[in-house]
């Protein structure tokens, strides 16, 4: 007869243990090391640039750089291309070095400032969204107060840059700062935050015309409207990535507003944008390279529509990032058209 064991078997609890929510601002050790949409190449570059800092400072510096999206430069490029369109069109050729340098540096400063205030505004929403749960504030690596300080410092730095331009550009900069501060909060009360984003991202266009030409002609405002259309296109593609999560947490976007009609509406917006850019070329009397670039841009839009046809997260994010090439192609067309005119 086999001996019986005196050891009692462990009883499994009949109900799962209650999970305790961490206090807001406390680091979440299970959070991802970096946001899900970070660029691997840019992250490696940041690590290389910070490698000589002491470990205790290197980690915090890295968190600040991630807060300002230096690990994801696509947003800065989407802001840079329209700024360069405006600078070249305002100058009618290669723009003067001074405004070119001021606006190029200013683009990165204002985009970084906008990201800091965006994460501050979304500090309670980001932990609930898969793509943004690893952001510095959402994971507790940066406090909301630190984000506000970063925003203020970058805003002051950008304003100092503007002081080297003229009075009209300085006056316009106040509206640009207001748009950058307001945009992150609009997704709580309107389904059109992408329109506000387009105005914020595109405000560098009238400022660039003011800095180079001393005035903002109809061409500048036409380009500004075109940029709003472009922003709605690419940020709707971006919002399609988070649509399910946004519905759960109550955030609003054009992706939610458009619903099942998102693909045809994006296609209509793309066609309207191409028409607006056609009017830009006519008003600026641009030569044939611009029209070839616009034809290529139409092809790039067709490829984006093909990418998002199934509304899957990965392809939608790829389509959003693909807009960098769209902006670059249009800029090359403007540069070459002005060069051969």
């Amino acid at each position: 007869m086999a001996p019986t064991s005196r050891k009692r078997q462990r009883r499994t609890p009949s109900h799962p243990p209650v999970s305790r929510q961490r206090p807001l601002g406390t680091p979440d050790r299970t959070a991802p090391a970096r946001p899900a949409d970070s660029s691997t190449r840019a992250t490696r570059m940041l690590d290389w640039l910070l490698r000589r800092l002491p470990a205790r400072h290197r980690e915090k510096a890295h968190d600040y750089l991630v807060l300002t999206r230096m690990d994801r430069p696509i947003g800065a490029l989407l802001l840079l291309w329209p700024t360069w369109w405006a600078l070249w069109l305002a100058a009618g050729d290669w723009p003067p070095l001074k405004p070119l340098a001021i606006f190029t540096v200013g683009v990165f400063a204002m985009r970084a400032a906008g990201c800091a205030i965006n994460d501050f505004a979304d500090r309670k929403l980001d932990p609930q969204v898969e793509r943004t749960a690893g952001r510095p504030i959402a994971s507790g690596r940066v406090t909301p107060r630190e984000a506000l300080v970063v925003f203020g410092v970058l805003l002051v730095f950008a304003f100092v840059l503007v002081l080297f331009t003229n009075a009209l550009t300085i006056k316009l900069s106040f509206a640009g700062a207001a748009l950058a501060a307001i945009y992150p909060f609009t997704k709580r009360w309107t389904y059109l935050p992408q329109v506000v984003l387009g105005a914020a991202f595109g405000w560098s266009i009238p400022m660039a015309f003011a800095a180079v030409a001393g005035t903002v002609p109809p061409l500048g405002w036409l380009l500004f409207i075109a940029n709003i259309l472009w922003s709605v296109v690419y940020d709707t593609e971006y919002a399609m990535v988070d649509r399910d999560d946004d519905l759960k947490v109550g955030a609003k976007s054009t992706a939610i507003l458009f619903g099942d009609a998102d693909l045809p509406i994006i296609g209509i917006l793309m066609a309207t944008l191409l028409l607006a850019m056609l009017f830009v070329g006519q008003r600026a009397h641009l030569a044939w390279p611009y029209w070839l670039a616009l034809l290529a841009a139409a092809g790039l839009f067709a490829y984006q529509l093909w990418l998002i046809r199934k509304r899957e997260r990965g392809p939608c994010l790829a389509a959003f990032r693909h807009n960098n090439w769209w902006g670059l192609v249009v800029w090359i067309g403007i540069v070459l058209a002005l060069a051969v005119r």
Side-chain angles (χ1 to χ4, degrees):
M1 184 173 169
T4 58
S5 173
R6 294 185 179 180
K7 293 183 179 179
R8 292 184 178 180
Q9 293 181 347
R10 287 186 179 179
R11 294 182 179 179
T12 56
S14 59
H15 56 276
V18 179
S19 61
R20 297 180 180 178
Q21 292 184 346
R22 63 184 178 91
L24 188 63
T26 307
D28 182 5
R29 303 302 179 190
T30 64
R34 62 188 176 94
D37 55 356
S38 293
S39 165
T40 302
R41 185 179 302 174
T43 300
R44 289 175 180 172
M45 177 62 69
L46 295 183
D47 292 339
W48 182 81
L49 291 172
L50 300 174
R51 71 191 187 284
R52 296 188 182 277
L53 287 178
R56 65 182 185 277
H57 298 312
R58 182 167 62 244
E59 185 176 352
K60 180 57 73 172
H62 186 272
D63 290 338
Y64 285 152
L65 291 173
V66 173
L67 173 70
T68 54
R69 305 291 195 279
M70 294 303 171
D71 64 325
R72 191 155 53 88
I74 177 64
L77 294 173
L78 294 177
L79 179 54
L80 180 67
W81 297 129
T83 305
W84 279 11
W85 301 345
L87 286 170
W88 259 261
L89 289 173
D93 200 347
W94 192 280
L97 182 59
K98 180 181 173 181
L100 178 60
I102 289 173
F103 277 87
T104 300
V105 175
V107 158
F108 286 90
M110 282 304 297
R111 193 258 179 166
C115 292
I117 194 63
N118 181 80
D119 282 12
F120 172 82
D122 290 347
R123 63 192 182 279
K124 295 181 181 179
L125 298 179
D126 283 346
Q128 305 176 61
V129 178
E130 178 183 351
R131 182 181 57 83
T132 59
R135 287 180 176 175
I137 298 180
S139 58
R141 302 194 308 274
V142 172
T143 67
R145 179 175 294 182
E146 288 174 323
L148 287 177
V149 171
V150 170
F151 172 69
V153 170
L154 289 169
L155 208 61
V156 169
F157 173 71
F159 184 67
V160 170
L161 291 175
V162 174
L163 293 177
F164 290 95
T165 59
N166 55 37
L168 178 57
T169 310
I170 294 171
K171 292 176 183 176
L172 288 171
S173 70
F174 288 101
L179 287 168
I182 291 171
Y183 158 68
F185 300 93
T186 58
K187 65 190 72 174
R188 285 156 181 76
W189 53 269
T190 177
Y191 285 99
L192 297 171
Q194 282 71 24
V195 175
V196 184
L197 174 71
F201 267 31
W203 199 251
S204 60
I205 292 173
M207 288 180 62
F209 273 93
V212 173
T215 185
V216 185
L219 174 62
W221 295 115
L222 177 60
L223 193 64
F224 174 71
I225 293 171
N227 182 73
I228 291 178
L229 291 169
W230 186 36
S231 299
V232 174
V233 167
Y234 65 65
D235 208 53
T236 300
E237 294 171 343
Y238 194 42
M240 289 170 70
V241 178
D242 298 330
R243 179 156 46 190
D244 294 338
D245 292 327
D246 286 344
L247 284 168
K248 293 176 184 177
V249 302
K252 297 178 173 64
S253 71
T254 49
I256 295 174
L257 176 66
F258 297 161
D260 293 339
D262 50 4
L263 298 185
I265 292 176
I266 290 174
I268 292 171
L269 289 170
M270 287 175 171
T272 307
L273 169 57
L274 290 170
L275 181 62
M277 296 305 292
L278 184 147
F279 292 150
V280 166
Q282 288 180 333
R283 184 170 284 272
H285 306 290
L286 296 178
W288 60 267
Y290 176 78
W291 305 109
L292 287 181
L294 213 55
L295 185 62
L300 293 176
F301 270 163
Y303 176 64
Q304 289 179 29
L305 287 172
W306 182 83
L307 281 176
I308 65 176
R309 69 193 185 283
K310 295 182 180 179
R311 300 179 177 89
E312 297 172 345
R313 292 193 177 201
C316 288
L317 185 60
F320 162 74
R321 290 174 171 166
H322 190 260
N323 281 278
N324 174 48
W325 300 110
W326 198 93
L328 173 62
V329 165
V330 172
W331 175 71
I332 291 175
I334 291 172
V335 172
L336 294 179
L338 292 173
V340 303
R341 187 169 63 177

